[in-house]
Amino acid sequence: ATWNGVPVTLVQPRAASPAQRQRLLIELHGGAFVMGSAASFGMMEAIPVAAMTGVTVLSVDYRQGPEHRFPAASEDVAKVYREALKRYAPEHIGLFGCSAGGVLTGESLAWFAREKLPMPAAAGVFCAGGDARYRGDSRYVVAAVNDAPLPDAQGALPIMEDLYYGPGVDFHDPLVSPVFSDAVLAQFPPLLFITGTRAAELSNVAYTHSRLVDLGREADLHVWDGMGHAFHLNNALPETQQALRVIARFFRKHLDLPQAPVATP
């Protein structure tokens, strides 16, 4: 479908209650802002989450680099969200994404705050935190364990996302990295963070979570031992099924749905 000029893909559970039909989850796919789509990477999250919550999940085909530059993706999510607000109450909408989609979730919430849009009921930032550069101690530790390139003396490491952000972006701008603005974080809805001990973003996630908690915001952090970046997209792992159950319970709670037994897809 197309919502407010932006292509989207919807996953609609066949057996949904009237209450579930009144809820919507918006999914933002990963892919470093340069690859993937709603119909590919997006479905790896949208299908199981829709199955386990009974709620329609809408995956957004936001614009990516290098053809498009920041804030194109944030603008597209805001367009879809404005259309969603015409159809659903904000307390019945959730937002989530993994990797670049997790970064974009935080950036979108910051964009909503700037545009003075009502916040969704809850959001999930998976495999990412509030710093778009993924800075922190785990970047060094995981790089050493995985024999990957180490950041330089300033903590910088070239990443594919640079093809989207371009050379002139300020990575301390809260519209890019909301973790650096208490005023923006203070407006965030309840957040769920998911990561693993072998994920390079672990420090970024932990720091973002600590900032939210310090500001009195509701934030849940779940870390799986031995798991790497985006582990929950691999349905063969028992840890994936655990993470999906956590996600389903979180959104059922904050979208005010009964906490019925969650089936495994």
Side-chain angles (χ1 to χ4, degrees), residues 206-249:
Y207 180 68
T208 306
H209 174 259
S210 71
R211 293 302 312 131
L212 287 161
V213 170
D214 195 40
L215 291 167
R217 308 307 296 166
E218 183 175 349
D220 296 342
L221 170 60
H222 293 258
V223 183
W224 271 264
D225 187 46
M227 293 294 102
H229 182 68
F231 74 90
H232 73 287
L233 300 184
N234 181 353
N235 282 324
L237 298 174
E239 291 87 353
T240 294
Q241 301 306 318
Q242 293 170 4
L244 289 171
R245 287 192 287 272
V246 167
I247 293 168
R249 292 186 185 114

Side-chain angles (χ1 to χ4, degrees), residues 53-130:
T53 60
V55 173
T56 294
V57 178
L58 179 152
S59 186
V60 182
D61 258 324
Y62 55 86
R63 288 171 292 167
Q64 302 186 84
E67 296 83 4
H68 305 282
R69 293 291 176 90
F70 175 86
S74 299
E75 291 171 343
D76 287 349
V77 177
K79 287 180 181 179
V80 171
Y81 186 60
R82 287 181 184 277
E83 181 62 29
L85 290 171
K86 297 177 183 178
R87 309 180 188 210
Y88 301 86
E91 60 268 24
H92 290 168
I93 302 173
L95 178 71
F96 70 97
C98 170
S99 191
V103 173
L104 182 54
T105 297
E107 291 176 344
S108 297
L109 293 173
W111 198 269
F112 299 168
R114 192 192 79 156
E115 297 294 312
K116 296 182 170 32
L117 295 172
M119 285 291 169
V125 177
F126 310 147
C127 338

